[in-house]
Amino acid sequence: MRKDPLSFLSAELDSLKQQGLYRRLRVLESEPAARATFDHKSVVNLSSNNYLGLTTHPKLVNAAREAVEKYGVGSGAVRTISGTMAMHMELEQRLATFKHVESVVVFQSGFAANAGTVAAVLTKDDVIVSDELNHASIIDGARLSKAAIKVFPHKDVDAARQILKELPAGQKKIVITDGVFSMDGDLGRVPELAALAEEYGAIMMVDDAHASGVFGKNGSGTVDHFNCHGRVDIQVGTLSKAIGVLGGYVAGSRNLIEFLYHRARPFLFSTSHPPAVTAACLAALDILETEPQWIEKLWDNTRFFKAGLQTLGFNTGMSESPITPVIVGEAATAAKMSDALFDRGVFAQSIGFPTVARDKARLRTIVAATHTKEDLQYALDTFDAVGRELGVI
Ligand SMILES: Cc1ncc(COP(=O)(O)O)c(C=O)c1O
């Protein structure tokens, strides 16, 4: 009998269980909506990045359906062989106009956009100056590039300056921040870091995954929110969160995009989006431009829910966005609280190490434009009851 060469994984899994870090996947059995059914239970869903409710918007659904009927279900190849469809080009042009940049390239996901871009643009001789809480896809791209990675403490512009100051003048370097940090919901120091990048001749990059569809005019992102047009060389966005579908994109100069067409490995070596995805993304852009009520409702719900959690006495950290963490400390407590909330009809996923620091386990909540005030009040009442029972408040 062959010994299982993966048997060591059992010990790893046992260790996760002991630390309260082992999570069973919750299974969605309905549409991914503000109220949804997971594991046979109807819950107020506070765990989705579907900020604007577009995952189920009839215009996106119809666009996807029509695209399937007209073009089939797959693109058949990577973009650089025969997988570039006219609608892929149309989406890139629409996104470029939306972001006020020369050009855009769409990737299969935001993860692929970040990792593929950082790994393509930087080499082993370069330096990456990165906020400590930047997304994993930036970190993986940085590792793939083999560039030196210099991490500055979260949002510490002075520390970033110190790193840049110590680099030789001719050194190729990039400053990278998230626009909105995905686990804390606070905003990156985009204007201050852009000023530093200008002063020290660095490339400036912002990952706006959680700002796309949320911040800036019609949801065009933090560069617009901070009025930093022309000062950020590489903007990454996703089509998977507020846009409601799937994908990521890089917005910047024509040269940058042409370079990525030739060197970004997920673009070169992985099949392009199927027609339904691209058509639905195009419909989502129409909605961002013509139905401002969704972003207004998102922010109205955000203010209501965040203020409610704070009044109850929860630690919501430094959030400035619809992502509101409820920080409880121990991973086991966060998991217990998440399960207790779920049993009473509220889904707020617990997040522990390595996604957040070991002592900062939390429940990560995100409201959507499509939650009703009754949904949110019910969630607040349930947080109140469970928080008291577990001694969190
Ligand atoms: C900050 C940030 N960047 C990038 C991504 C990746 O986006 P996608 O889900 O489209 O791959 C995420 C999603 O988890 C994110 O939170």
Side-chain angles (χ1 to χ4, degrees), residues 109-191:
S109 68
F111 196 108
N114 268 331
T117 300
V118 173
V121 171
L122 285 306
T123 71
K124 65 175 178 36
D125 300 321
D126 306 328
V127 177
I128 296 170
V129 182
S130 178
D131 187 290
E132 67 175 331
L133 295 189
N134 279 345
H135 192 254
S137 51
I138 294 172
I139 298 165
D140 284 9
R143 288 175 181 160
L144 281 169
S145 76
K146 300 199 176 69
I149 307 168
K150 307 236 177 231
V151 173
F152 59 88
H154 186 44
K155 294 175 70 160
D156 188 338
V157 176
D158 289 337
R161 171 186 291 282
Q162 199 51 40
I163 294 171
L164 288 165
K165 217 175 182 171
E166 285 167 12
L167 295 174
Q171 175 72 59
K172 189 163 110 207
K173 50 206 173 274
I174 187 168
V175 175
I176 312 182
T177 182
D178 280 5
V180 177
F181 288 89
S182 59
M183 293 299 137
D184 290 85
D186 52 343
L187 294 176
R189 307 280 297 269
V190 175

Side-chain angles (χ1 to χ4, degrees), residues 52-299:
L52 303 175
L54 297 190
T55 53
T56 51
H57 193 295
K59 288 184 184 159
L60 273 76
V61 173
N62 280 336
R65 191 178 287 130
E66 281 168 19
V68 168
E69 277 162 14
K70 202 161 168 195
Y71 299 110
V73 294
S75 72
V78 302
R79 289 281 304 271
T80 47
I81 300 187
S82 64
T84 293
M85 305 178 75
M87 61 165 64
H88 292 141
M89 300 309 287
E90 185 188 348
L91 178 59
E92 291 178 343
Q93 272 158 19
R94 285 283 302 279
L95 284 167
T97 308
F98 183 62
K99 299 291 280 187
H100 303 286
V101 294
E102 278 181 0
S103 224
V104 159
V105 52
V106 170
F107 286 82
Q108 299 83 354
S109 68
F111 196 108
N114 268 331
T117 300
V118 173
V121 171
L122 285 306
T123 71
K124 65 175 178 36
D125 300 321
D126 306 328
V127 177
I128 296 170
V129 182
S130 178
D131 187 290
E132 67 175 331
L133 295 189
N134 279 345
H135 192 254
S137 51
I138 294 172
I139 298 165
D140 284 9
R143 288 175 181 160
L144 281 169
S145 76
K146 300 199 176 69
I149 307 168
K150 307 236 177 231
V151 173
F152 59 88
H154 186 44
K155 294 175 70 160
D156 188 338
V157 176
D158 289 337
R161 171 186 291 282
Q162 199 51 40
I163 294 171
L164 288 165
K165 217 175 182 171
E166 285 167 12
L167 295 174
Q171 175 72 59
K172 189 163 110 207
K173 50 206 173 274
I174 187 168
V175 175
I176 312 182
T177 182
D178 280 5
V180 177
F181 288 89
S182 59
M183 293 299 137
D184 290 85
D186 52 343
L187 294 176
R189 307 280 297 269
V190 175
E192 295 88 345
L193 292 172
L196 267 192
E198 281 155 16
E199 188 180 339
Y200 289 93
I203 305 160
M204 179 68 201
M205 172 167 168
V206 174
D207 169 12
D208 245 356
H210 285 279
S212 311
V214 178
F215 282 91
K217 185 165 186 287
N218 297 335
S220 65
T222 54
V223 171
D224 187 78
H225 172 78
F226 286 119
N227 200 13
C228 281
H229 289 290
R231 301 179 68 193
V232 175
D233 307 292
I234 304 177
Q235 293 182 59
V236 171
T238 64
L239 303 163
S240 332
K241 304 187 191 299
I243 305 301
V245 196
L246 174 71
Y249 59 90
V250 177
S253 67
R254 202 170 317 282
N255 271 351
L256 169 70
I257 303 312
E258 289 209 349
F259 176 78
L260 293 174
Y261 274 2
H262 290 85
R263 284 288 176 272
R265 292 171 72 84
F267 186 84
L268 292 167
F269 296 112
S270 185
T271 297
S272 56
H273 277 159
V277 165
T278 306
C281 290
L282 281 162
L285 284 181
D286 291 341
I287 288 162
L288 288 184
E289 283 161 11
T290 57
E291 299 182 16
Q293 67 269 27
W294 301 115
I295 297 181
E296 283 159 23
K297 185 78 195 314
L298 171 69
W299 280 101

